[in-house]
Amino acid sequence: MAQLLIVYHSRTGGARQMAEEAAEAGREQADVILKTADQAGPEDLLLADGYIFCAPENLAAISGLMKEFFDRSYYPVLGRVEGRPYAQMICAGSDGENAARQTARIATGWRLKEVQPPLIICTHAQTPEAILAEKTIPEDQLEACRALGLAMAAGLEMGVF
């Protein structure tokens, strides 16, 4: 059975909800491993057939813990994961584009294959209170996360990537 690794970081719950929904849907088609960025590492990347990276955008960049996961994992897997498929999900307060670009640059260095454009969910949190508050992602947006998880898992299982 194909293995999909979903690595995420979440400070206020939005990215966690997104990752959990993608994982739950993906389990219908493949073996899905869901790990937080502080628990995931190079060995997880090497065992998986494909990846979903999910993080919040903090200060126009991926969150620090997600970046730290990439920092710890980058060189140990360099040249060993080429061609594997990946997708990404970003939970953003405004546009999420820079965080998506940052993750895409890392994936390009690993020579991963992007299977779809980044899924960016915008919470429109713009005040300090809203930014720091626990997030609840609306059902219609969680459906997009489920669709991504299911499609990634099915594609891995069928070998279409």
Side-chain angles (χ1 to χ4, degrees), residues 1-3 29-30 49 83 85 113 115 151-161:
M1 183 174 262
Q3 186 180 94
Q29 296 291 323
D49 300 298
K113 179 180 172 186
V115 299
M152 269 300 282
L156 287 173
E157 191 61 29
M158 292 186 295
V160 298
F161 301 125

Side-chain angles (χ1 to χ4, degrees), residues 11-56:
R11 187 176 312 275
T12 60
R16 177 190 47 78
Q17 292 168 60
M18 295 167 66
E20 288 174 349
E21 293 295 321
E24 187 63 31
R27 288 189 178 111
E28 294 177 25
Q29 296 291 323
D31 180 23
V32 177
I33 306 299
L34 177 66
K35 287 203 168 189
T36 58
D38 62 333
Q39 296 297 310
E43 62 283 350
D44 299 300
L45 290 162
L46 292 171
L47 291 172
D49 300 298
Y51 319 104
I52 297 176
F53 303 116
C54 180

Side-chain angles (χ1 to χ4, degrees), residues 4-10 13-28 32-36 52-55 89 134-135 137 141-150:
L4 171 62
L5 174 65
I6 301 176
V7 179
Y8 77 96
H9 173 250
S10 186
R16 177 190 47 78
Q17 292 168 60
M18 295 167 66
E20 288 174 349
E21 293 295 321
E24 187 63 31
R27 288 189 178 111
E28 294 177 25
V32 177
I33 306 299
L34 177 66
K35 287 203 168 189
T36 58
I52 297 176
F53 303 116
C54 180
M89 301 186 296
E134 279 294 307
K135 306 297 182 287
I137 305 299
Q141 294 177 332
L142 289 176
E143 181 54 41
C145 300
R146 288 190 286 271
L148 174 56
L150 182 61

Side-chain angles (χ1 to χ4, degrees), residues 43-128:
E43 62 283 350
D44 299 300
L45 290 162
L46 292 171
L47 291 172
D49 300 298
Y51 319 104
I52 297 176
F53 303 116
C54 180
E57 179 180 55
N58 295 144
L59 303 172
I62 58 174
S63 65
L65 279 177
M66 194 68 175
K67 175 68 167 62
E68 199 273 333
F69 157 74
F70 286 126
D71 287 345
R72 278 186 293 106
S73 302
Y74 191 83
Y75 290 108
V77 303
L78 187 62
R80 301 170 70 190
V81 295
E82 292 177 359
R84 294 183 192 181
Y86 88 98
Q88 62 171 308
M89 301 186 296
I90 304 291
C91 184
S94 55
D95 68 15
E97 293 294 326
N98 197 50
R101 271 192 300 278
Q102 199 174 11
T103 298
R105 287 186 65 141
I106 293 163
T108 297
W110 276 336
R111 306 294 189 264
L112 299 180
K113 179 180 172 186
E114 183 181 62
V115 299
Q116 76 164 48
L119 172 59
I120 299 173
I121 292 181
C122 186
T123 65
H124 304 286
Q126 295 298 303
T127 65

